[in-house]
Amino acid sequence: MATDFTRRALDVIRAVPRGRVATYGQIADLAGNPRAARQVVRLLHSSSQTEGLPWHRVVNGRGTVSLPRGRGYEEQRAMLAAEGVVFDERDRIDLKRFRWNPA
DNA sequence: TTACTGACCTTTT
DNA sequence: AAAAAGGCCAGTA
């Protein structure tokens, strides 16, 4: 059932380097479907259990963590901070500096 | 097969 | 600047 997109998306996620973050749309784009950002979400939910997936390096296009507090927000934020990613006073990441830029 | 859902994105009030 | 609305894709019931 896994479409090519799904597989490629997973590869892309695994390829995100430490200390960098990627947006859902970006991943979808690199996987071949610029509009399938939502699908990426489902992937993370399905595969987050499977270790080896840096789900914490995926954030929304605004550079903020989408997870609700107490449901991973703090956890993701902590992991990113441990990798050197900085959150500003508004709890946003400066994508200009931390967004993963492939190529 | 149709209907619903989701850690979204972009454009428009 | 902030909030609302519409659009999109794939997987699951």
Side-chain angles (χ1 to χ4, degrees):
Chain A
M1 315 342 163
T3 62
D4 296 324
F5 169 78
T6 302
R7 258 172 283 158
R8 272 181 279 170
L10 285 173
D11 289 338
V12 174
I13 295 170
R14 291 198 199 100
V16 178
R18 194 162 161 283
R20 280 289 156 65
V21 297
T23 66
Y24 301 89
Q26 177 181 2
I27 291 171
D29 186 28
L30 292 174
N33 279 32
R35 306 280 147 118
R38 311 210 59 174
Q39 187 51 32
V40 176
V41 171
R42 189 163 282 291
L43 276 177
L44 288 162
H45 262 283
S46 294
S47 311
S48 59
Q49 319 173 37
T50 313
E51 300 169 35
L53 262 174
W55 59 273
H56 55 279
R57 307 209 192 127
V58 184
V59 297
N60 61 27
R62 267 197 207 136
T64 64
V65 175
S66 300
L67 291 94
R69 292 228 173 186
R71 290 293 176 206
Y73 173 83
E74 316 236 337
E75 190 182 339
Q76 174 167 20
R77 189 174 161 160
M79 288 203 265
L80 288 176
E83 294 187 348
V85 178
V86 180
F87 287 76
D88 64 14
E89 55 286 336
R90 282 171 89 183
D91 297 312
R92 298 196 299 182
I93 298 171
D94 185 351
L95 291 179
K96 290 177 181 135
R97 290 184 356 189
F98 297 104
R99 184 175 179 274
W100 174 42
N101 184 2

